[in-house]
Amino acid sequence: MRINENVQTMLTSASKNALTPENDSPVNFSNLLKEAVYKVNETQVQSQQATMKLATGEIEDISQVTIAAEKAAINLQLAIQVRNKALDAYQEIMRMQM
């Protein structure tokens, strides 16, 4: 799973805008979300690369590949759960009567 170059550029600039001691501007939710998605993608790519290296014989220790795959799976499951909670919250707000 790869993100196209335009989205990667946006995510890189979003991570630079995060709240740091040098940058006291408020954190933008959309930037945090983009950065989180980028990190999930990054772990997926690292897992795929580790699998390819194992297949080509560059890595002989299978535990490295297993750890990379589990990190990617856990990050993906977390992202899915956050998405589900956000959708549930949105649906609950839409059901409220004014």
Side-chain angles (χ1 to χ4, degrees):
M1 167 176 31
R2 299 238 181 219
I3 297 178
N4 68 31
E5 292 178 12
N6 292 336
V7 174
Q8 285 182 346
T9 303
M10 287 179 5
L11 293 174
T12 303
S13 65
S15 65
K16 291 178 184 175
N17 291 334
L19 184 62
T20 61
E22 301 85 32
N23 184 5
D24 291 334
S25 64
V27 176
N28 188 347
F29 178 73
S30 65
N31 290 344
L32 289 175
L33 189 60
K34 288 175 188 176
E35 187 174 339
V37 170
Y38 177 74
K39 287 180 181 179
V40 169
N41 182 63
E42 201 173 287
T43 58
Q44 293 288 328
V45 170
Q46 288 173 353
S47 174
Q48 290 174 353
Q49 289 173 347
T51 303
M52 290 300 293
K53 287 180 180 180
L54 179 67
T56 59
E58 292 178 43
I59 296 178
E60 294 182 11
D61 186 13
I62 195 165
S63 66
Q64 293 175 356
V65 178
T66 305
I67 290 170
E70 283 302 312
K71 282 182 181 179
I74 290 170
N75 282 340
L76 183 60
Q77 287 299 318
L78 176 63
I80 290 170
Q81 290 301 320
V82 169
R83 181 208 57 188
N84 290 344
K85 291 293 183 182
L87 285 175
D88 288 343
Y90 173 77
Q91 290 171 351
E92 186 66 29
I93 290 170
M94 295 309 291
R95 278 185 252 153
M96 287 182 177
Q97 293 181 358
M98 294 185 138

